[in-house]
Amino acid sequence: MSATFAVPGLSDVAPLTASDDEIDAAVGDLGLLPLLMSVVHLTGSTEILRAAGPTLRPQYSTDLSGSVPADLQVELRAKAAQAIKAWRDAGCPAPHLPDTFQLREMIAALTGKALDPRYEPLISEELGFGGDARAFHWDRPVKETAVNAKSVLIVGAGLSGLVMGYRLKEAGIPFTIVEKNSGPGGTWFENRFPGARVDVPSHCYSFSFVRDQTWPELFSPWPVLRSYFADLADRLGLTPHIRYETEVLRAVYDDGSAHWNVALRSAGGEEQVRVAALVSAVGQLNRPLIPDIEGQDSFKGVRVHTSKWTEDLSAKGKRVIVIGSAATALQIVPELAEQAAHLTVFQRSPTWVLVHPEYRRKVSDAEQWAMNTLPGFARWTRAIMYNWALDGSPDHMVIDPAWTGGPQAVSAANDAARARLTQGMKAAIGDDPELQAKLIPTYPPYVKRPNLGDGGYFRAFQRQNVTLCTDGAVRFDETGIIDGKGVHHDADIVVYATGFKALEYLAPMEIVGRTGERIDRFWDDTPRAHLGITVPEFPNLFLMYGPGTNLGFNGNLFFNSECQARYIANALKWMVQDDIDAIELKPTVFADYCTRMDAALSRFTWSHDSAGSWYKNAAGKVIANSPWPLIDYWEWTRTPDPHEFITTRVSALIDSLATGGVA
């Protein structure tokens, strides 16, 4: 990555010096959709989009060429190459910034429909033609003493903690990030098991305000992501603000001073700090879930959760058991199958998988050249991968109460999705009816988290050294696991690919609010937060990736974290500018939001009772997911609504106290 990272606008590209032959060769290897959008920026005309016709809409997240016929593609690429050469020969003049009507036409070309005008400012913001539209700005001059009084403690240096720290750094608000690990990245620092990689395209699984990154593959493996976060912590100037190998034990709100008293633990022992606001950026996928299987401690071999994989652990020539068959198993099983003398996979229930044609695709030199050189190419690539066309409530994930087509689906659209997924899975599994019956679910698609892979997981079971066990892991003994039919499976290594305690939000921290009640008891078995961010009785506490913000469709957690960071930063701005020391969500607002959320969630496949998932609590209620279209969440989180909060001013008392803070 270069020394600059902020998005200055459309002109943040390298000078174009390529020859005609080089341009012709590169254009033939580029995604057609971002290429045509770039031509609009070069020429100021949308004529080339009209020439492409109404067939541009992407078919999947990394489909960058749409369904344009091959002969028309050749014609369009030739026109694009001609436009690029003309722009080069003219001295690379400033790229054209589309007006409202042109932008609307460009968006319609990608989505195949006229999108609700509400989306236009959101997509414009994400495209970043005018720079970082989410950057922090004060509305009016503020006193330095007032800003310094709003010290913030951020818990966690994963993606949410880093963007939150960056926004506070822009504001000049004092902050410290405490991180239990020895480096940044959160789940991408911890998860380093064989085959670990993201299942969201990296060109959009990244911060909107950092546009000069180079991604070797569309879906990055963990070392690339780990390096990305470490690099950004330095480049964004956050490293001096991070205290690694430091945990929060307990945080207690002091109503008299409107501050949080926080107990920290590090190698140096325990200490107490006092801050005006507390931001939890601990995420959901960081506390391993180990199933309760009889006799585990009697096993003489190695037992390891995938998130605790160590570099010196090798499966080469070993007998290995993997417990679990969801997202993590999809990634680790193909790798272990290549190494192990024998691999047994214990599957409790099968998982739906989209066998993605580009899951392991490299980013070509031509693509990287275009992202570095052609105005708008990288930005539109990112926008396409967000798949704006599917925002809203996708039909295939919504329960149709009138559906009578059978228990295998919840609607006609869901049944069609089932057919598509089944076709791809069967092709990867091979012509083995017994294996197909075991690996293809009978419950409707999207009831559980949909998974992504290249089919390697299914192909692994075609190997002679791989066994699939669907009879349950009943108990351990010293040398392996006995299944439900009494069969013993030998093992040197047992791998738990069993996920995380995703619904135990904020654990193991003890968070005590204004009334003296702990937040886990306030929530009981139903964690909820307004917009996933604020909770009544817990003033000046802000959550990132909190309850009800896991994205079940469209977008990704980077989008959510940027929305939440802006909301929290603007809450602190409001407090500083209006001399407010505490804001607390009104119980009526909280209750109304929870009611609306439960009603919205009940429409989705996740609420269907055909299968359990980590989305649900013990009572079967969906806790983790957001039912809201991206546009709604984006609009709601632009800035807090003052009418939704109780405000407190105790400045006279606070000014008489030592601020404590965290350094």
Side-chain angles (χ1 to χ4, degrees), residues 546-567:
T549 60
N550 186 66
L551 289 170
F553 59 92
N554 211 359
N556 63 60
L557 295 182
F558 277 85
F559 176 85
N560 258 24
S561 69
E562 290 193 31
C563 288
Q564 292 155 9
R566 174 161 58 183
Y567 183 92

Side-chain angles (χ1 to χ4, degrees), residues 231-289:
D231 182 60
L232 282 186
D234 288 338
R235 293 176 61 201
L236 299 178
L238 299 177
T239 300
H241 296 267
I242 304 176
R243 293 180 54 178
Y244 293 115
E245 298 181 318
T246 302
E247 294 183 87
V248 171
L249 300 178
R250 178 180 171 90
V252 180
Y253 184 73
D254 177 16
D255 199 27
S257 65
H259 274 60
W260 283 92
N261 295 315
V262 186
L264 304 177
R265 180 173 62 198
S266 62
E270 294 186 18
E271 62 182 299
Q272 296 284 330
V273 299
R274 197 167 68 90
V275 292
L278 182 63
V279 177
S280 169
V282 298
Q284 298 179 16
L285 308 179
N286 55 58
R287 300 187 65 232
L289 174 64

Side-chain angles (χ1 to χ4, degrees), residues 320-325 329 333 343-347 457 461 466-470:
V320 181
I321 288 176
V322 171
I323 301 176
S325 57
V333 163
L343 172 66
T344 302
V345 179
F346 275 78
Q347 172 187 282
Y457 174 79
F461 294 106
V466 180
T467 300
L468 176 65
C469 178
T470 58

Side-chain angles (χ1 to χ4, degrees), residues 5-43:
F5 58 87
V7 183
L10 263 179
S11 297
D12 60 333
V13 290
L16 177 56
T17 59
S19 68
D20 286 2
D21 289 344
E22 289 171 332
I23 290 172
D24 290 336
V27 164
D29 192 36
L30 299 178
L32 183 65
L33 306 185
L35 176 62
L36 298 185
M37 299 300 158
S38 183
V39 170
V40 175
H41 295 300
L42 299 181
T43 64

